[in-house]
Amino acid sequence: ASFPNMLNAGLGGATGFTFETWIKPASLANGSPIDSYRNTIVDFSIQSANSVIAMYLREDGKIRFGGRSRNLDAFQDVVTATPVVTTDTWQHVAGVLDFTNKKIFLYLDGVLVASKEIGVNFANNTFATTAGGTKLIGASIGLNANHFFHGALEETRFWTTPRTQQEIQANMDYPVSTQPYLLAYWKYDNNMEDSSGYGFEGSIFGNASYGETFLSGLYIYVVPVYSEVYEDDYVELEIHVQGFQEPLRAYEISLSFDTDYLRLEDPGDIRP
């Protein structure tokens, strides 16, 4: 997927970047020399071929993540010591660049898997943007055929602040609303619309396609059974939901009833 360079306007002055998404790799990069084959998750550049923020899977499922605070910086990055990603499984990845405090963090399913807090050479305390560049998800900025992502992505978010581990854990399983520092938010609901409110719509190209729409709601009707219920009696309803395609996340259960069949003296009589 590609995105317009007007995204650059929202980058200037950021104290850091946070990129997060759900991934489900179909295969893992494995080649020699190292980095000659990659599963690129994101690669945003400015002005030239210098990546502002980049994340990709390396040999056998290691993750490399990093970026720059300005176009002239050397690429600052971290790499997981061992492979951490598996195929055919949904996993959440989040990378954090902290320009002000000169730190880099990488999380998998909300757990820290790599970090660098000493010797990070970000020249600026806030991001210095320039014109131009290429913004891609699922491919490297050079469009190298060996760097395409193989698999599925879901719920991709780009923040102009270094989010904490607690913030990542609290929101990774749930859709989020428009809020400060959320610069771009792509849900991939059969389109490349940006749900952040800033309108950074993208477009897909190559062999990319939208996956099946996941379950958004389920209604279960229970046929009433006529019986006599006495004070302090209770009825227990057990529901098993199975067989749905992953991911089944961020669900809620609500209950309504027909007053012709059930009357309550106190709404508190319904207990979860």
Side-chain angles (χ1 to χ4, degrees):
S2 63
F3 302 91
N5 275 318
M6 64 180 185
L7 192 68
N8 287 9
L11 306 180
T15 58
F17 295 149
T18 301
F19 177 88
E20 58 177 323
T21 189
W22 285 87
I23 64 171
K24 187 179 182 182
S27 65
L28 297 177
N30 194 357
S32 182
I34 291 175
D35 278 353
S36 59
Y37 291 84
R38 309 174 186 175
N39 267 8
T40 304
I41 298 171
V42 62
D43 197 357
F44 287 180
S45 72
I46 53 172
Q47 191 173 21
S48 62
N50 289 337
S51 297
V52 168
I53 188 166
M55 180 189 292
Y56 56 87
L57 308 184
R58 292 175 58 169
E59 64 280 4
D60 298 326
K62 292 182 180 179
I63 307 176
R64 186 185 186 194
F65 169 74
R68 294 174 167 86
S69 68
R70 59 173 187 163
N71 190 51
L72 298 178
D73 278 356
F75 188 74
Q76 306 296 299
D77 69 306
V78 294
V79 182
T80 57
T82 59
V84 293
V85 172
T86 56
T87 58
D88 300 318
T89 301
W90 282 105
Q91 294 178 283
H92 184 268
V93 290
V96 178
L97 303 177
D98 187 337
F99 302 131
T100 303
N101 296 301
K102 318 300 184 189
K103 297 178 181 181
I104 305 175
F105 301 98
L106 178 60
Y107 302 93
L108 183 74
D109 292 332
V111 177
L112 184 68
V113 290
S115 65
K116 189 173 183 180
E117 302 184 52
I118 298 175
V120 179
N121 296 315
F122 290 134
N124 289 12
N125 289 335
T126 59
F127 187 75
T129 190
T130 53
T134 303
K135 312 289 185 293
L136 298 174
I137 288 178
S140 64
I141 54 179
L143 292 178
N144 187 321
N146 293 329
H147 294 176
F148 294 150
F149 185 84
H150 299 157
L153 296 98
E154 173 76 315
E155 286 284 319
T156 298
R157 304 164 189 173
F158 183 56
W159 308 77
T160 54
T161 187
R163 292 185 49 92
T164 66
Q165 183 176 16
Q166 292 73 24
E167 288 173 326
I168 291 169
Q169 291 174 340
N171 292 282
M172 69 184 202
D173 287 324
Y174 305 96
V176 295
S177 59
T178 300
Q179 54 189 279
Y181 305 111
L182 180 60
L183 183 66
Y185 179 17
W186 302 290
K187 299 180 180 180
Y188 311 130
D189 291 339
N190 290 314
N191 58 59
M192 289 303 302
E193 292 181 3
D194 174 18
S195 298
S196 72
Y198 290 105
F200 296 126
E201 275 72 33
S203 59
I204 59 174
F205 63 94
N207 292 325
S209 62
Y210 299 111
E212 295 181 20
T213 301
F214 294 119
L215 175 73
S216 60
L218 175 67
Y219 291 91
I220 298 176
Y221 295 92
V222 180
V223 176
V225 176
Y226 295 94
S227 61
E228 199 168 277
V229 181
Y230 299 95
E231 186 177 357
D232 295 328
D233 282 354
Y234 68 91
V235 175
E236 200 170 83
L237 179 63
E238 185 174 304
I239 300 172
H240 295 266
V241 180
Q242 62 186 34
F244 294 102
Q245 185 179 1
E246 292 186 277
L248 186 61
R249 300 190 298 270
Y251 62 87
E252 65 177 32
I253 297 174
S254 59
L255 174 67
S256 60
F257 59 89
D258 190 332
T259 55
D260 286 344
Y261 299 107
L262 178 63
R263 289 182 295 277
L264 303 176
E265 293 184 3
D266 185 342
D269 287 341
I270 294 181
R271 298 180 180 89

